[in-house]
Amino acid sequence: MKDLDVVFKALADINRIRILKLLEKRKMCVCELAYILDVSQPAISKQLKKIARAGLIDSEQDGFWTNYFIKPKDDYAKKLLKLLSTWLNADAIVNDDLEKLKKANRENLCCKK
Amino acid sequence: MKDLDVVFKALADINRIRILKLLEKRKMCVCELAYILDVSQPAISKQLKKIARAGLIDSEQDGFWTNYFIKPKDDYAKKLLKLLSTWLNADAIVNDDLEKLKKANRENLCCKK
DNA sequence: AATTTAAATAACCATTTGGTTATTTAGACA
DNA sequence: TGTCTAAATAACCAAATGGTTATTTAAATT
């Protein structure tokens, strides 16, 4: 039982949903997400940790950066992420985020200052 | 967007999940749920309100009692409740609750004191 | 009309949540 | 080796959560 409520909790926040909708498109690093959601880097780190603990995402080192990506670890995660991928695709906030994502450039956002 | 995170929030609590797994079996009144989950009547009322606002359940008057029952109001609710119905059917807590449900008798639990 | 009973609401409290700024950690490269 | 830089962690805070007890509301019965 414990596991399932952890997964639902991971999905029960607008910013975490926004993160997941972004990760549907591609791997992303912390600073890109912080830029797009317009919250601090530690806030994103904490949210990612919560999503990761729930078994929805994983991460890998990539040079300077840590890439986070969708990686469902069990049936709960698999089914819920699949559902989520069918939802919010016409949502205003999500689409604004995706617009911002197109312009986002890791090298400019993070390193250069 | 707002709607979806409200639905996930409604599912993001063990006691609310337990309530929904019970309502999968049959309509129930507040005092039956309070007895089975072993929390106070107002606690159940609050949880039910949260689940109802998320569009997962509805209620109807039945004599002295108010019956609550599964009633998904939109696609979010429909799909998530369907998933939930396939999960936790071997869960210890859920099965204990269902055992207790078999013995639960509205007339004895509520009215008689 | 008065009484009884289930459920809702109010008031309260401890814990959790989700953000912030400041600091530490660890990988990449000069 | 020493210096950058991205990400993690620590410390903090206001708001939300989920429970409690006490009280109010509203439906059903006498």
Side-chain angles (χ1 to χ4, degrees):
Chain A
M1 159 73 93
K2 249 308 177 191
D3 292 338
L4 181 55
D5 84 284
V6 169
V7 183
F8 281 130
K9 275 187 221 292
L11 293 162
D13 177 81
I14 289 181
N15 282 351
R16 288 193 295 271
I17 291 175
R18 289 169 72 189
I19 289 172
L20 288 167
K21 292 303 287 182
L22 284 161
L23 293 182
E24 281 178 11
K25 298 300 167 192
R26 65 166 170 84
K27 301 181 174 193
M28 300 188 70
C29 67
V30 176
C31 53
E32 287 175 308
L33 290 166
Y35 165 72
I36 295 175
L37 297 210
D38 195 30
V39 295
S40 68
Q41 170 263 311
I44 296 290
S45 275
K46 269 209 279 186
Q47 299 289 41
L48 287 169
K49 191 166 206 172
K50 192 156 202 166
I51 305 172
R53 284 233 193 83
L56 302 174
I57 61 173
D58 204 345
S59 63
E60 71 190 356
Q61 200 65 26
D62 171 28
F64 275 109
W65 300 284
T66 304
N67 278 330
Y68 283 84
F69 50 90
I70 300 279
K71 179 85 175 300
K73 82 157 186 213
D74 58 20
D75 188 62
Y76 296 150
K78 220 162 292 177
K79 295 268 174 57
L80 289 171
L81 287 171
K82 188 166 186 179
L83 267 190
L84 182 60
S85 75
T86 70
W87 288 335
L88 298 180
N89 296 315
D91 180 79
I93 296 173
V94 168
N95 285 329
D96 284 357
D97 288 347
L98 292 177
E99 277 308 304
K100 229 167 155 184
L101 170 59
K102 282 183 198 163
K103 291 167 207 147
N105 182 317
R106 179 174 301 199
E107 276 76 13
N108 292 341
L109 287 183
C110 313
C111 308
K112 297 295 183 59
K113 70 190 295 270
Chain B
M1 159 72 91
K2 250 305 176 196
D3 293 338
L4 181 55
D5 83 284
V6 169
V7 183
F8 281 130
K9 275 188 222 291
L11 293 162
D13 177 81
I14 290 181
N15 281 351
R16 287 193 296 271
I17 291 175
R18 289 171 71 188
I19 289 172
L20 288 167
K21 292 303 288 182
L22 284 162
L23 293 183
E24 281 178 11
K25 298 299 168 192
R26 66 166 170 85
K27 301 181 175 193
M28 299 189 71
C29 67
V30 176
C31 55
E32 287 175 309
L33 290 167
Y35 165 71
I36 295 174
L37 298 211
D38 195 29
V39 296
S40 68
Q41 170 264 311
I44 296 290
S45 274
K46 270 211 277 186
Q47 298 291 39
L48 286 169
K49 190 166 208 173
K50 192 157 201 166
I51 305 173
R53 284 233 190 84
L56 302 174
I57 60 173
D58 205 346
S59 64
E60 71 191 355
Q61 199 66 26
D62 170 30
F64 274 109
W65 300 285
T66 304
N67 277 330
Y68 283 84
F69 50 90
I70 300 278
K71 179 86 177 297
K73 83 157 185 212
D74 58 20
D75 188 61
Y76 296 150
K78 220 163 292 177
K79 295 267 173 58
L80 289 171
L81 286 172
K82 189 166 184 180
L83 268 190
L84 182 60
S85 75
T86 70
W87 288 335
L88 298 180
N89 296 314
D91 181 81
I93 296 174
V94 168
N95 285 330
D96 284 356
D97 287 348
L98 292 177
E99 277 309 304
K100 229 167 155 183
L101 170 59
K102 283 182 199 164
K103 291 168 208 148
N105 181 317
R106 180 175 299 198
E107 275 76 12
N108 292 341
L109 286 183
C110 312
C111 307
K112 297 295 182 59
K113 71 192 296 269

